Amino acid sequence: MTDPARERLTVLDADGRPTGVAERGEVYARSLWHASTAVALRSTDGEHGLRAHIHAYQAFCDGPVVHQPAEVAEGGWWTLDELRSRLDPPAYPWVPDGRVVTRRWLGDAVG
């Protein structure tokens, strides 16, 4: 498996314009601007959410969901309350941008 920290990402300026390329580890260590995508995959009954800056998407699915091991450390079905309870550190280990996007999605899309 390839080391995720070595993945090359496009570095952006504050306005979202590409300025160069750096490895993911450097982007995170130096807090460089980069694009991030979050997908909130929900069951069609609206009761469950799945893990989930600004490119956020919501889709509906009743599974099964097959994760790409190099991209997703863990996945599972959570209720929205379970998802909310895992957002406060150190309750659950989130990547920083994932935590921000998920909070924004819960506030804007779900309420």
Side-chain angles (χ1 to χ4, degrees):
M1 175 163 53
T2 305
D3 179 1
R6 304 289 313 265
E7 180 183 4
R8 296 178 58 78
L9 303 179
T10 300
V11 177
L12 307 173
D13 65 16
D15 294 319
R17 290 183 299 257
T19 61
V21 177
E23 290 184 348
R24 181 182 297 277
E26 179 184 359
V27 168
Y28 283 14
R30 294 181 48 206
S31 192
L32 300 174
W33 284 98
H34 64 287
S36 181
T37 301
V39 176
L41 183 61
R42 301 181 65 198
S43 63
T44 55
D45 65 10
E47 294 296 318
H48 300 89
L50 177 67
R51 138 148 221 218
H53 2 337
I54 308 311
H55 310 290
Y57 304 92
Q58 176 175 243
F60 291 86
C61 175
D62 291 315
V65 177
V66 179
H67 301 288
Q68 183 178 352
E71 295 288 330
V72 179
E74 177 185 346
W77 295 105
W78 295 338
T79 66
L80 294 175
D81 286 338
E82 290 170 327
L83 178 61
R84 285 183 184 97
S85 75
R86 287 174 168 85
L87 284 173
D88 293 319
Y92 202 80
W94 289 79
V95 294
D97 52 353
R99 186 184 307 273
V100 169
V101 168
T102 302
R103 280 192 176 130
R104 181 172 294 166
W105 174 77
L106 283 170
D108 293 346
V110 179

